[in-house]
Amino acid sequence: MQYRKMKCQLKYLTSYLDLDPRGNQVVRRTDFKRCPRPVLLLHGFFSTRRVLEVLEHRLRREGYCVWSIHLGGTMDRFNTHRIDELARKVQGKVDRLYERHPEMGPLTIIGHSKGGLIGTYYVKRLGGDTRVRSLITLGTPHRGTRMAYLGCATLGWFSRSMWQLTPVSPFIKRLGEGAFPRHVRLTSIYSRDDAVALFPSSVLDVNGQPNVFNVEVSGVAHGELLTRRSVWEVIQRELALGYAGDDAVTALPTAPPPPLPVA
């Protein structure tokens, strides 16, 4: 039984990995000179920017200025570097972009899986709260995930970030210390059917923080958090709430968004 269970989990994880060597070759479509609502997308472990295509298309259709970052990694492709190192890379890219285009609006970051931890570290530890209006994470193991132990046994010899994702890692413990910046909205979207970020690893400790939220979606697997319409509807509402009060958000529906379930 244990062997079959592990075999099924390994098959699921293998299907999640995006091993296309051309996965980071994306066409730049965003005009940063006219970018009141920029949205940065960060993909997860052993993945590439290609997995973000559906979400990017939906955001662009709604008028958001969408962009992503080539995070590098194994063979310069698969996002295996340390989370803190990648957060510093994000910091550098964002700072340079705002220096070239100071008229850009406040930034929203949407991070899938490990990408959410990169965004969290950037906002909480590297001063990203001066740029970022809201952070939305999708299936991000904020408390670490037990599935990382399997990753350590198979991929940990060349990926230090795999060890950072375990529930007992010093990195996860340090990142959880202290309150999240009060002027940045943080929302974790998670599913109990996620076999990678096992419940409750993606549930944030709200602990009286009025800007921190958890939203559960049902029947959604880890990779599907980037494509399922039910998740997209939550992302839409979170973006509207994050940009509420800005002149740039007038293009969004004027009706108030429905209340979000909070765990």
Side-chain angles (χ1 to χ4, degrees):
M1 284 289 291
Q2 290 297 324
Y3 170 76
R4 286 201 299 269
K5 184 178 180 180
M6 183 172 291
K7 187 176 179 181
C8 288
Q9 288 177 332
L10 187 60
K11 184 177 179 181
Y12 173 84
L13 289 173
T14 303
S15 67
Y16 162 67
L17 302 179
D18 175 21
L19 303 179
D20 188 346
R22 300 164 300 175
N24 284 308
Q25 299 174 8
V26 298
V27 179
R28 176 177 167 176
R29 297 186 175 90
T30 299
D31 180 6
F32 293 106
K33 295 180 181 178
R34 293 179 294 179
C35 190
R37 298 181 297 172
V39 178
L40 170 61
L41 303 180
L42 299 174
H43 58 81
F45 176 79
F46 227 73
S47 187
T48 65
R49 290 192 280 180
R50 189 181 69 168
V51 302
L52 305 169
E53 284 180 345
V54 173
L55 181 56
E56 179 180 350
H57 174 73
R58 286 170 168 167
L59 288 164
R60 201 175 298 282
R61 185 180 59 196
E62 295 295 320
Y64 293 97
C65 305
V66 191
W67 57 296
S68 59
I69 293 175
H70 177 25
L71 296 174
T74 302
M75 296 186 291
D76 194 37
R77 293 187 182 97
F78 300 124
N79 189 5
T80 54
H81 291 317
R82 291 174 58 93
I83 296 168
D84 46 329
E85 292 176 1
L86 293 174
R88 291 186 180 91
K89 184 173 185 176
V90 169
Q91 178 189 31
K93 293 276 189 180
V94 171
D95 286 348
R96 287 192 294 272
L97 188 61
Y98 273 89
E99 287 171 4
R100 291 196 299 268
H101 306 285
E103 70 282 358
M104 283 175 55
L107 181 64
T108 293
I109 296 178
I110 301 177
H112 178 239
S113 195
K114 175 185 170 183
L117 289 174
I118 296 171
T120 302
Y121 192 92
Y122 166 58
V123 173
K124 194 172 181 180
R125 300 292 183 230
L126 300 179
D129 58 309
T130 61
R131 305 282 193 195
V132 177
R133 171 67 56 81
S134 60
L135 170 62
I136 303 169
T137 66
L138 309 174
T140 292
H142 294 282
R143 304 184 182 189
T145 173
R146 298 190 304 276
M147 286 302 295
Y149 293 122
L150 177 60
C152 290
T154 55
L155 304 172
W157 61 277
F158 68 87
S159 174
R160 294 295 301 275
S161 70
M162 205 73 260
W163 300 93
Q164 290 180 311
L165 294 169
T166 63
V168 297
S169 79
F171 174 83
I172 287 291
K173 291 181 179 179
R174 287 195 300 268
L175 187 57
E177 293 174 354
F180 198 75
R182 292 277 175 148
H183 54 283
V184 180
R185 184 181 179 90
L186 172 61
T187 303
S188 174
I189 303 174
Y190 70 94
S191 172
R192 294 174 188 256
D193 298 285
D194 188 337
V196 177
L198 300 169
F199 179 81
S201 65
S202 293
V203 179
L204 291 162
D205 184 8
V206 176
N207 195 25
Q209 300 178 87
N211 58 318
V212 178
F213 306 91
N214 294 297
V215 182
E216 181 178 358
V217 289
S218 302
V220 181
H222 192 67
E224 292 176 333
L225 286 161
L226 289 166
T227 58
R228 288 284 288 271
R229 179 159 293 278
S230 58
V231 180
W232 165 239
E233 290 172 352
V234 177
I235 293 173
Q236 280 183 299
R237 296 197 295 265
E238 279 301 315
L239 286 165
L241 289 169
Y243 281 113
D246 287 358
D247 293 334
V249 85
T250 53
L252 292 174
T254 55
L260 297 176
V262 179

